[in-house]
Amino acid sequence: MAHVQTLVCRECGHQYPIAPIYTCEFCFGPLGVAYDTEAQRATVSRESIAAGPPSIWRYRDLLPVDPPGDASARVGYTPLVRADRLASELGLGEVWVKDDTRNPTNSFKDRVVAVALAKALEFGIKTLACASTGNLANAVAAAAARAGLTSYVFIPADLEFAKIATTAIYGANVVAVDGNYDDVNRLCAEIAAEQSWGFANINLRPFYAEGSKTLAYETSEQLGWETPDHVVVPVASGSLLTKIRAGFDDLFSVGLLNEKPGVRISGAQAQGCSPVATAFADNAQVINPVKPATIAKSLAIGNPADGYHALDAVRETRGGIAAVTDDEIVEGIRLLARTEGIFGETAAGVTVASLKRLAEEGVVRPDERVVLYVTGHGLKTLDAVAGPGSGPTAVIAPTRQAFADAFPETQPGR
Amino acid sequence: MTINVRIPTQLRSLCDGESEVTVEANSVGEALVALNGVNSEFSNRLYDETGNLRRFVNIFVGEEDIRFLDGLNTELRDGQTVSIIPAVAGG
């Protein structure tokens, strides 16, 4: 990887060699990957990307690891669809949906895991692990199975059944921890220090997080190498939002964009777990952790690791952060499905509802080209939409008359 | 009070590689200051120039984050465990 130089502390700038490490020894700040931008500029072009596979590996020159020998699991390069009916309902102009439900395990986490796994193999790691709110668990378990690695997946014990079953099926060791995600995370940080495992979002985190940038790369390529005016991104740890912003900036740094992007970044949180939205609303410098209580379990991180960077990204780009109720989340899921035929999970409901809120507040404007990130599939959180509207429209006898009685509007001459 | 302080890998070079250090302290803040008795570099790593705990350091008493307790003033009982955990994992 000639274009990757070192790991560098995002707080104090201290440099470290490339290794499975994630925090600065001097200030505890998060480590990030430092690239040789000049080398990248010389290698990558719109043409070289277009000639690549229809997956995240088409951006190999912008990623911190070489594609694995087996890159046949098609991760990424998901559809960016124009969402005119949704835009119309929200009183907006040009809205696009990045449909990341279309990944191997139906969430954006396949992107970050693909990068983490490739790096783990490079480091000679034999066991892949993670602390997860569900989607990452799916992605780690499936990727480890395919690569023939052992996996340990740590989740809060109260996770949705679907997310547990769709992890266990891959043969992962599923460790349900009696606590919330932040408890799981703390436990894993301690276990990571004692095992020679690759924890996707702990000691592989500097590399793993880079995978999220591919959402920005694809968005821009799919818009004909332009950028959106405004994006709305769900916020759990804050890493995805931070990396989407960085991804747009990287495209300019390596010469793939003609103009410096001015993408406004807005965040989406559930009211029952909104530490970053609260700090934003209060104009605070400190993010206070919370105990999550929301149906959006995939976003239920009360102590967000990248909260400060997410807050900076939103403030610097003059975006906003909404905090929406559980009812708004369910309505958001329904609205997206009804208008665009895309069934997202609760995090998508949070994002759609936040877009609605931000549009009403005038933060997202009708003259902006907006991209909404739908990061996981609705079948993972089916329970959230149980109840009114989730059953049949009518139950009828198997006769034409019964149908006619139930749906008179379908009958001629009435 | 005798307190066990769990040391993260990043700081173990300051205490001969030990994962746990025993100190005498009545509060979380005192326990962290007492680490300077082991190695005076501890405070530089845990606190910033303005004397605040660095923003990517999380401190727990047992399983609870001290920000849900009384912060650095959280009182300790004999035999309790204080853990220093990097905040940048997860998500």
Side-chain angles (χ1 to χ4, degrees):
Chain A
M1 295 312 300
H3 63 265
V4 177
Q5 293 185 311
T6 57
L7 292 173
V8 60
C9 174
R10 286 152 71 190
E11 289 284 286
C12 74
H14 225 92
Q15 296 195 2
Y16 297 86
I18 298 294
I21 53 174
Y22 66 110
T23 50
C24 179
E25 288 181 17
F26 294 89
C27 74
F28 278 72
L31 302 184
V33 177
Y35 296 91
D36 179 347
T37 311
E38 287 309 311
Q40 288 179 308
R41 283 183 83 97
T43 324
V44 74
S45 64
R46 293 178 184 180
E47 293 71 28
S48 73
I49 289 169
S55 73
I56 62 166
W57 299 114
R58 68 203 278 107
Y59 308 105
R60 57 181 295 169
D61 294 322
L62 305 179
L63 290 171
V65 63
D66 285 323
D70 172 18
S72 56
R74 260 189 60 177
V75 176
Y77 210 60
T78 55
L80 179 72
V81 298
R82 179 84 184 236
D84 286 338
R85 270 176 295 277
L86 177 65
S88 164
E89 288 242 4
L90 300 180
L92 293 172
E94 185 180 340
V95 175
W96 298 79
V97 172
K98 183 64 172 163
D99 181 7
D100 237 26
T101 67
R102 311 274 202 100
N103 273 309
T105 67
N106 308 103
S107 89
F108 87 103
K109 291 293 187 183
D110 290 313
R111 298 173 182 273
V112 284
V113 168
V115 176
L117 173 68
K119 206 67 195 178
L121 295 172
E122 199 180 292
F123 287 138
I125 286 168
K126 303 280 187 250
T127 300
L128 201 60
C130 68
S132 176
T133 55
N135 286 321
L136 179 58
N138 291 172
V140 162
R146 188 166 174 79
L149 300 187
T150 303
S151 63
Y152 284 84
V153 165
F154 295 78
I155 54 169
D158 72 345
L159 211 56
E160 297 95 340
F161 166 74
K163 281 184 177 155
I164 298 174
T166 51
T167 302
I169 195 73
Y170 298 112
N173 295 291
V174 180
V175 187
V177 177
D178 187 15
N180 61 31
Y181 175 79
D182 298 293
D183 296 319
V184 176
N185 197 24
R186 180 189 57 75
L187 172 65
C188 286
E190 295 200 85
I191 292 174
E194 287 154 11
Q195 301 285 346
S196 57
W197 300 348
F199 270 86
N201 51 350
I202 301 179
N203 57 346
L204 296 172
R205 197 168 194 270
F207 314 100
Y208 153 97
E210 292 293 289
S212 290
K213 288 181 174 175
T214 58
L215 275 164
Y217 302 157
E218 289 174 20
T219 300
S220 178
E221 187 185 1
Q222 289 166 322
L223 290 172
W225 295 109
E226 292 183 2
T227 51
D229 298 314
H230 206 144
V231 297
V232 183
V233 185
V235 174
S237 74
S239 176
L240 175 65
L241 182 147
T242 306
K243 291 297 180 177
I244 285 178
R245 189 223 185 165
F248 286 121
D249 290 343
D250 286 357
L251 290 177
F252 178 70
S253 305
V254 303
L256 289 166
L257 293 178
N258 299 327
E259 288 175 39
K260 194 167 168 51
V263 185
R264 297 175 69 202
I265 316 280
S266 283
Q269 291 208 296
Q271 204 174 71
C273 183
S274 53
V276 186
T278 302
F280 181 79
D282 295 348
N283 207 15
Q285 293 307 309
V286 174
I287 297 173
N288 288 312
V290 301
K291 304 274 187 189
T294 170
I295 58 167
K297 293 181 181 174
S298 58
L299 301 183
I301 298 182
N303 186 10
D306 262 308
Y308 287 111
H309 295 123
L311 203 52
D312 288 346
V314 171
R315 282 177 175 155
E316 287 165 15
T317 62
R318 298 167 295 104
I321 309 182
V324 296
T325 65
D326 283 357
D327 286 347
E328 287 177 277
I329 294 168
V330 173
E331 182 44 40
I333 295 172
R334 293 186 190 284
L335 177 62
L336 180 65
R338 177 163 59 75
T339 54
E340 300 299 337
I342 296 171
F343 183 22
E345 62 140 290
T346 44
V350 171
T351 310
V352 174
S354 292
L355 173 62
K356 182 168 188 283
R357 190 81 82 74
L358 293 167
E360 285 164 1
E361 291 170 357
V363 177
V364 176
R365 300 189 312 258
D367 63 338
E368 290 182 306
R369 173 193 274 176
V370 182
V371 172
L372 188 71
Y373 287 90
V374 171
T375 51
H377 201 290
L379 287 175
K380 290 170 181 253
T381 58
L382 209 46
D383 288 351
V385 291
S390 63
T393 309
V395 179
I396 62 169
T399 65
R400 287 165 57 213
Q401 188 59 48
F403 174 68
D405 290 347
F407 296 91
E409 71 277 13
T410 64
Q411 301 306 302
R414 71 174 274 281
Chain B
M1 310 292 166
T2 302
I3 303 300
N4 306 309
V5 183
R6 291 187 57 78
I7 309 295
T9 40
Q10 294 85 345
L11 297 182
R12 288 182 193 168
S13 61
L14 302 182
C15 51
D16 292 331
E18 294 294 326
S19 62
E20 205 161 294
V21 169
T22 304
V23 298
E24 290 294 322
N26 295 312
S27 70
V28 171
E30 282 182 27
L32 298 184
V33 169
L35 290 174
N36 287 329
V38 178
N39 188 322
S40 59
E41 179 66 11
F42 266 108
S43 276
N44 292 334
R45 303 288 182 90
L46 296 173
Y47 295 90
D48 65 20
E49 315 69 63
T50 60
N52 291 316
L53 206 55
R54 292 186 186 276
R55 62 182 187 167
F56 287 101
V57 175
N58 285 346
I59 308 290
F60 293 78
V61 174
E63 263 82 67
E64 192 65 294
D65 190 317
I66 61 165
R67 289 172 294 178
F68 291 115
L69 302 170
D70 201 9
L72 291 171
N73 297 324
T74 303
E75 290 182 8
L76 297 172
R77 293 191 310 277
D78 203 44
Q80 276 191 305
T81 297
V82 171
S83 302
I84 304 169
I85 311 258
V88 302

